[in-house]
Amino acid sequence: MTNTSPMFSAFALCHLCAGVVVDEEQHQRFHEGIVKAFEDRDKAVQKGFKQHADAVRRVLRRAGLVKPEPKPRPRTPPTDVQGGMCSKCAGGLVTAGIDPQIPTRKSDATVPYLVCVGCLREIRRG
């Protein structure tokens, strides 16, 4: 006998839920709806947990039991220090191997200083 006989039908079994499938596209949408419902529930539970945790943290902070979280400081490279960057032109700084050209103080002749590679600015240290 062939499958075109009225004795046989075109039903199939779903490998996920073991259900009898008549329309494959409709059954696929059924499974996608179940997955979406669980994802929506998961998002709602996570949002509720976050709101609850934030409320508990606020109450504990007001009671003085928990310190407030420090705000992160921006990570910028150091300026006007050896190995850092020039604050004027963002060029690299190196230690000068020669004496300063015009000492303004008596100790300037012995104080090491930095020179910017980009703008050739002298930076006194000390």
Side-chain angles (χ1 to χ4, degrees), residues 77-125:
T79 56
D80 293 346
V81 295
Q82 185 174 4
M85 299 172 68
C86 176
S87 60
K88 303 287 184 190
C89 70
L93 298 176
V94 294
T95 304
I98 57 174
D99 292 332
Q101 295 174 355
I102 306 170
T104 56
R105 297 188 308 245
K106 186 176 183 180
S107 64
D108 278 349
T110 59
V111 173
Y113 67 103
L114 302 171
V115 175
C116 174
V117 176
C119 64
L120 299 176
R121 182 172 69 106
E122 292 183 359
I123 302 165
R124 307 276 180 196
R125 298 185 320 166

Side-chain angles (χ1 to χ4, degrees), residues 12 20 22 31 33 44 48 51-52 54 57 60 80 82-83 91-92 98 109 120 122 124-125:
V20 177
V22 177
H31 279 290
Q51 289 174 348
H52 177 72
D54 291 344
R57 201 173 296 117
L60 292 176
D80 293 346
Q82 185 174 4
I98 57 174
L120 299 176
E122 292 183 359
R124 307 276 180 196
R125 298 185 320 166

Side-chain angles (χ1 to χ4, degrees), residues 9-79:
S9 61
F11 293 126
L13 291 177
C14 176
H15 294 287
L16 297 174
C17 66
V20 177
V21 178
V22 177
D23 185 7
E24 292 178 14
E25 292 177 8
Q26 182 180 3
H27 194 75
Q28 181 70 27
R29 286 192 303 268
F30 167 74
H31 279 290
E32 290 170 358
I34 291 173
V35 170
K36 182 160 177 16
F38 277 106
E39 288 173 351
D40 291 345
R41 180 182 176 276
D42 183 46
K43 287 179 186 175
V45 168
Q46 287 179 358
K47 181 179 177 185
F49 180 75
K50 184 179 181 316
Q51 289 174 348
H52 177 72
D54 291 344
V56 169
R57 201 173 296 117
R58 276 193 307 271
V59 168
L60 292 176
R61 198 174 305 129
R62 285 184 192 145
L65 300 172
V66 175
K67 291 183 180 179
E69 296 175 6
K71 294 181 180 178
R73 289 192 273 164
R75 299 278 181 174
T76 56
T79 56

